[in-house]
């Protein structure tokens, strides 16, 4: 069994690693194109195959001025929790407005004023409408 730098044993069949390597090797171009288009993309796959690592590496390699914000939600967050997390990650001043429509307007204005790239790790935790 192969060892990972003398630590814990690694049990991944070679064919699974090769298949995921091909998919992850396309990540830099796909991420770069997505950021340039201000679009949305999803990278998915089994646990432990390096999706988050690959995305983080690709995002660091982007234009140095790119504003990247990482968000991780708790399991099944409410719409209010999603709004509050966006308010926090955008570093908006003060307290978030209590009324959802006011908070939505504030978030939309902040996002329109300055485009950003968001890395939503563990996005499967979001309910459909939350995403």
């Amino acid at each position: 069994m192969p060892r990972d730098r003398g630590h814990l044993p690694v049990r991944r069949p070679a064919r699974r690693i090769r298949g995921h390597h091909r998919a992850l090797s396309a990540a830099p171009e796909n991420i770069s194109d997505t950021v340039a288009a201000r679009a949305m993309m999803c990278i998915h796959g089994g646990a432990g195959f390096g999706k988050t690592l690959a995305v983080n590496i690709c995002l660091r390699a982007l234009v140095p001025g790119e504003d990247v914000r990482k968000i991780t939600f708790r399991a099944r967050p409410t719409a209010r929790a999603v709004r509050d997390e966006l308010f926090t990650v955008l570093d908006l001043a003060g307290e978030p407005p209590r009324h959802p429509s006011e908070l939505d307007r504030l978030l939309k204005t902040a996002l329109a004023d300055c485009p950003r790239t968001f890395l939503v790790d563990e996005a499967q935790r979001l309910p459909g409408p939350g995403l």
Side-chain angles (χ1 to χ4, degrees):
M1 177 179 342
R3 292 213 166 255
D4 181 25
R5 296 184 189 172
H7 297 103
L8 299 173
V10 177
R11 296 180 186 194
R12 292 191 183 141
R15 71 181 193 287
R16 286 181 68 188
I17 292 172
R18 280 193 302 271
H20 288 283
H21 174 72
R22 279 192 299 271
L24 291 176
S25 67
E29 183 178 352
N30 291 338
I31 290 171
S32 178
D33 291 348
T34 301
V35 170
R38 296 291 178 211
M40 182 187 302
M41 72 176 285
C42 177
I43 295 180
H44 62 91
F49 281 102
K51 298 173 300 295
T52 300
L53 175 64
V55 170
N56 283 324
I57 290 169
C58 293
L59 288 173
R60 274 189 230 117
L62 290 173
V63 178
E66 185 64 34
D67 187 1
V68 178
R69 308 290 175 108
K70 183 175 181 181
I71 303 174
T72 303
F73 295 104
R74 63 178 177 74
R76 305 216 29 92
T78 63
R80 180 64 195 205
V82 171
R83 288 180 180 102
D84 287 344
E85 185 61 29
L86 284 170
F87 183 90
T88 300
V89 81
L90 288 169
D91 296 324
L92 299 176
E95 293 293 317
R98 291 186 185 267
H99 196 275
S101 65
E102 292 173 20
L103 183 50
D104 285 347
R105 191 170 30 258
L106 180 65
L107 293 172
K108 287 177 185 177
T109 300
L111 291 169
D113 288 347
C114 179
R116 296 162 181 89
T117 297
F118 291 95
L119 167 58
V120 181
D121 201 9
E122 304 297 339
Q124 76 276 5
R125 293 178 178 172
L126 287 169
L131 187 57

